[in-house]
Amino acid sequence: MNKIGFAMSMLLALIGVLLLSGGLLLQSVLPKLGRMAFSIGGGSYNPSDYDLGVAFYMQQVIAISCIVVGSILSRRFCKTDGDH
């Protein structure tokens, strides 16, 4: 078992999970913050101005890629040295 490779691949998967959860959290909170800002300052609120579905597409692709690659590499590094 390559402990350094296993730890780094698990770190890559963890970074992917953090990126994905942070992006999804921002996607759900930002429209609510926009609504609050317009209600305080006055003006018209348009929910489509705060729709981040397309803007975070690449970020979600990178996060999912990190999770998948990290999981595959951790499985590979977890195998014993004689199993190559």
Side-chain angles (χ1 to χ4, degrees):
M1 179 170 157
N2 186 348
K3 293 179 183 178
I4 295 174
F6 180 75
M8 290 298 154
S9 60
M10 289 303 290
L11 184 65
L12 180 65
L14 180 65
I15 288 172
V17 168
L18 291 175
L19 279 173
L20 188 63
S21 62
L24 293 175
L25 179 70
L26 193 60
Q27 247 181 335
S28 66
V29 169
L30 199 59
K32 291 177 178 75
L33 289 175
R35 184 178 297 133
M36 286 183 359
F38 273 109
S39 68
I40 291 172
S44 62
Y45 171 74
N46 189 2
S48 64
D49 291 340
Y50 294 93
D51 184 26
L52 300 175
V54 177
F56 280 108
Y57 177 73
M58 196 63 190
Q59 183 261 346
Q60 289 176 349
V61 167
I62 291 171
I64 292 171
S65 301
C66 285
I67 294 169
V68 169
V69 169
S71 299
I72 291 171
L73 287 176
S74 67
R75 174 77 175 140
R76 182 178 170 265
F77 287 128
C78 187
K79 290 183 178 182
T80 59
D81 292 333
D83 289 345
H84 294 309

